Amino acid sequence: MSEEPLDQVANLRDVAHSDPRLRPGVLWRSAQPQAGDGSPREVDAWPPATVVDLRSAAEVPGTGHPLLAPGTEVHSVPLLDHAGDPNALEQRRRPLVDVYLSMLEQGTGLLRAADLVASSPAPVLVHCAAGKDRTGLVVALVLRLVGVSREAVLADFALTTDAMPDVVRRLLATSPLPPGADLSTLPAEYFTAPTDALAAVLDVWDAHDGGTEGWALAHGAAADLVDRLRAQLL
């Protein structure tokens, strides 16, 4: 009798599909890995050499990150302090465009994540809980900094919509909703990858003096960040 197949990390993909200039096997994105996951079908090797975990402390289980093992270095770069807080339901009902733009106000977390992508051993996996909102902004920033087109960035982001049923299934299995919470009260966009919300972020970067690179430098990026990203990804 065959064994039941192991579950696999959801919403995983190599962002190299976005642009033929990008080298495969360098930057991956996904929802959160879980203990007991099998080797994913979407990539040739597992686990990644570097993990950039964008979740808040409240979202990380007491046992620590499931990929923390010899050969894999895990970096915690929280982007939303209220994420995972059962008392912050109103925060999680905000329009996603507002949530995204609020992450730009901080700047430093996004740039810290981008710097890790530029300087860490590959493959580098960037993930949050769903691999959608926080991950989407970090990946968009990295791709725009190395010259990937706006249209390609939005197209990669939109792919997460098809993965959301599996993402939600896995999240609920490991983090049940608090008493009284109801997913049906959340805005529908929380269960899709709304390109209009990400487009608002791209608008901010595009409108900045010097474009996305100018925005990054104005918010404290290292002067050589773009050069290092290009050396890593192209």
Side-chain angles (χ1 to χ4, degrees):
M1 184 176 178
S2 62
E3 295 184 358
E4 187 72 18
L6 291 172
D7 208 356
Q8 299 175 338
V9 63
N11 198 22
L12 171 66
R13 58 187 176 273
D14 188 325
V15 303
H17 76 91
S18 302
D19 189 305
R21 298 173 303 143
L22 295 172
R23 292 193 295 120
V26 176
L27 178 58
W28 302 340
R29 60 178 294 169
S30 78
Q32 64 185 29
Q34 296 175 2
D37 282 349
S39 296
R41 296 178 293 267
E42 293 86 353
V43 294
D44 294 332
W46 190 259
T50 304
V51 175
V52 181
D53 184 351
L54 307 175
R55 297 176 298 171
S56 70
E59 296 174 279
V60 180
T63 53
H65 199 286
L67 298 182
L68 186 58
T72 298
E73 188 167 0
V74 177
H75 301 270
S76 176
V77 187
L79 289 188
L80 289 175
D81 292 339
H82 69 267
D85 182 351
N87 298 314
L89 291 178
E90 287 307 314
Q91 286 279 359
R92 297 204 294 274
R93 291 190 178 99
R94 295 164 60 199
L96 282 180
V97 65
D98 293 348
V99 176
Y100 291 7
L101 293 174
S102 74
M103 284 190 271
L104 291 188
E105 294 170 6
Q106 305 171 43
T108 54
L110 293 173
L111 293 170
R112 168 65 176 151
D115 197 84
L116 285 166
V117 172
S119 59
S120 302
V124 179
L125 172 68
V126 176
H127 80 84
C128 50
K132 178 169 79 81
D133 307 312
R134 291 165 285 184
T135 299
L137 260 68
V138 169
V139 170
L141 177 61
V142 168
L143 294 182
R144 290 297 284 151
L145 285 173
V146 299
V148 175
S149 73
R150 178 187 176 103
E151 293 73 22
V153 169
L154 291 170
D156 170 68
F157 178 75
L159 292 176
T160 289
T161 293
D162 290 340
M164 284 306 293
D166 194 30
V167 168
V168 172
R169 173 187 65 82
R170 283 169 52 90
L171 288 175
L172 291 178
T174 56
S175 302
L177 293 174
D182 183 356
L183 287 179
S184 67
T185 66
L186 294 177
E189 64 177 354
Y190 277 55
F191 303 97
T192 67
T195 54
D196 58 336
L198 183 60
V201 171
L202 301 183
D203 288 344
V204 171
W205 292 338
D206 289 346
H208 199 282
D209 185 23
T212 307
E213 182 175 359
W215 178 90
L217 291 171
H219 285 78
D224 65 346
L225 174 61
V226 172
D227 288 341
R228 286 185 290 115
L229 282 172
R230 288 181 173 275
Q232 178 88 309
L233 292 166
L234 301 181

